Amino acid sequence: MSGKASLTSDFIERLLAERSVPELESRLATDATGLPRRFPGGAGVSAAALDRRWAFPPLAAAAAAASDSGSGARAAVLDPLSEAQAGRYAANIENYIGTVKLPVGVAGPLRVNGLFAKGDYAVPMATTEAALVASYHRGACLLTAVGGCRSMVLFEAVNRSPGFAFPTLIEVGRFVLWATQSVPRFREIAAQTTRHGRLLDMGVCVEGNHVYLNFEFATGDAAGQNMVTIATQAICDYILEGTPVAPTEHYVEGNFSGDKKASAQSFTSVRGKKVTAEAVLPPEVVARFLNTDAEQMCKYWRMSAIGGVLSGTMGVHGHYANGLAAIYAACGQDIACVAEAAVGVTRFEVAEGGALYASVTLPNMIVGTVGGGTSLPSQQACLQILGLAGDGKSQAFAEVCAGMVLAGELSIIGALAADEFTKAHEKLARRRARPDHP
């Protein structure tokens, strides 16, 4: 980890202005005396378990203290509904103490013309960031005004990549030969662990005496992270029993899959669902909704694309993470997957007659409409608002997400091209939050 000398020196000077070097060093010394007792955790969500946890000193102190809402922490986190529905959360959380409430807004309706999503969708978005829903709402209304966006799931696969170590390349070669010949058996073993998933393919990466097997699975309507882990574990167990060359080390995940991180591998292939969305916007619609034109939008897009390259970003886009995180939170997705899902390419071009061609492509859309957090009360309700709860809806959900990402790109780049970005945030965020601007 590196830093500029001037900034580092300034930081050190500020530290030393408040404390001496011995004082700073003493703060960093470990201390194994007077250790706190362990939090009374576990998977239980009974009333007795909740009472034990809220009696824990830090929680009890917060529960007794007044807050901005006029009630203590327990009343805010463990409200009557969260307590009554505690059983609904048991499979999704440990050490349960209640729920955190995020404000939810609706953007749209967004008209989507996709292979799986076809219609007008009111899209719930959960966020604490003012101006975000307004921006996506503007973009969604813009797309709907021109008949909607086209959105298409291109490919699906969720991967898990176990790693194996061997003494030399000789053993590696023997193992790879056996593994590639065993793929049909691997498929059979994976199928025994799940009714919804299936092994599609296996890639091989050799690095010295290390081997990474990259298993790619179809996961049905679930996001599938746990599904592919369990299936891969079963395959690994079979490998260890049947391989003619025993590895010296093995791990069910060798960090080759790109799980919950941006990677060049998934950027150029797929992890989850690869989705693209596009629209052609007439000049009068761009002017009416965004107060700019296609040429200015493209000029900003070119500068931002080069800026992204110069800073080393993965992909070219404005703010995929904003919309995806808000939709994921509202609809019960694994929010950490935004780390990989918010990677892709936005492209703008001036089309015939001064129209704007706009597209987004996201190769790592990890989403599901069953399993995980999709069955939790609020999240299930948000999927129902979308009309995309349950089996047979995950591809449509991915296409709607891509359409909303496109809406967000149009809105933010329009605001920057029209020099309205700062004004919008000042109006919708800072001023509204101040008492003198109700």
Side-chain angles (χ1 to χ4, degrees), residues 94-418:
E94 300 77 42
N95 304 5
Y96 179 77
I97 63 168
T99 61
V100 171
K101 290 77 179 171
L102 282 174
V104 180
V106 167
L110 170 70
R111 178 161 292 185
V112 179
N113 307 291
L115 296 178
F116 301 93
K118 181 68 174 177
D120 301 324
Y121 297 88
V123 183
M125 306 182 79
T127 182
T128 59
E129 182 184 346
L132 189 149
V133 174
S135 180
Y136 279 83
H137 180 62
R138 179 172 77 152
C141 292
L142 163 62
L143 289 171
T144 299
V146 299
C149 65
R150 283 175 287 271
S151 189
M152 185 185 300
V153 171
L154 302 173
F155 190 57
E156 300 179 67
V158 179
N159 57 332
R160 185 62 69 211
S161 57
F164 303 86
F166 298 89
T168 71
L169 277 170
I170 295 174
E171 290 82 8
V172 165
R174 292 173 181 167
F175 175 77
V176 169
L177 176 62
W178 176 83
T180 54
Q181 294 173 339
S182 301
V183 172
R185 180 58 181 150
F186 294 165
R187 287 197 178 98
E188 294 174 358
I189 293 166
Q192 294 171 8
T193 68
T194 172
R195 293 176 299 154
H196 307 288
R198 56 192 176 90
L199 177 61
L200 299 173
D201 205 351
M202 181 191 79
V204 178
C205 178
V206 174
E207 186 279 314
N209 61 351
H210 287 180
V211 178
Y212 301 85
L213 299 180
N214 191 29
F215 293 113
E216 295 183 337
F217 296 85
T219 60
D221 288 298
Q225 303 278 61
N226 291 335
M227 183 190 301
V228 303
T229 299
I230 293 169
T232 301
Q233 182 65 62
I235 294 172
C236 286
D237 292 343
Y238 171 79
I239 288 173
L240 296 177
E241 291 175 1
T243 176
V245 188
T248 56
E249 301 169 28
H250 72 278
Y251 309 96
V252 72
E253 174 55 64
N255 202 30
F256 185 79
S257 66
D259 187 0
K260 294 187 172 76
K261 58 189 73 69
S263 70
Q265 174 180 254
S266 59
F267 180 65
T268 55
S269 56
V270 65
R271 180 169 159 78
K273 293 174 173 60
K274 184 172 185 177
V275 197
T276 190
E278 68 171 9
V280 179
L281 311 173
E284 62 273 13
V285 178
V286 175
R288 176 157 60 96
F289 280 88
L290 302 178
N291 300 319
T292 185
D293 58 35
E295 184 177 358
Q296 290 301 316
M297 296 274 284
C298 288
K299 283 182 178 179
Y300 176 80
W301 173 79
R302 281 194 296 271
M303 174 163 281
S304 68
I306 296 300
V309 170
L310 293 173
S311 65
T313 60
M314 183 77 70
V316 177
H317 63 87
H319 65 154
Y320 288 7
N322 262 337
L324 289 175
I327 296 171
Y328 276 30
C331 297
Q333 308 303 302
D334 186 339
I335 301 176
C337 287
V338 170
E340 54 191 305
V343 169
V345 174
T346 296
R347 183 159 54 85
F348 285 178
E349 294 178 1
V350 178
E352 184 178 351
L356 175 68
Y357 174 83
S359 70
V360 296
T361 302
L362 300 95
N364 308 326
M365 184 89 73
I366 299 279
V367 293
T369 53
V370 299
T374 62
S375 62
L376 297 180
S378 299
Q379 289 77 4
Q380 179 76 12
C382 287
L383 284 171
Q384 289 170 348
I385 290 170
L386 272 169
L388 297 176
D391 294 327
K393 304 294 178 60
S394 64
Q395 292 95 340
F397 183 46
E399 291 179 346
V400 171
C401 287
M404 283 303 295
V405 166
L406 176 60
E409 293 294 277
L410 286 165
S411 186
I412 193 172
I413 292 175
L416 288 159

Side-chain angles (χ1 to χ4, degrees), residues 4-25:
K4 293 184 177 180
S6 59
L7 295 177
T8 303
S9 296
D10 179 66
F11 180 67
I12 292 173
E13 286 178 6
R14 285 187 282 114
L15 283 176
L16 294 177
E18 299 173 0
R19 295 185 180 91
S20 67
V21 170
E23 287 175 325
L24 292 173
E25 291 177 347

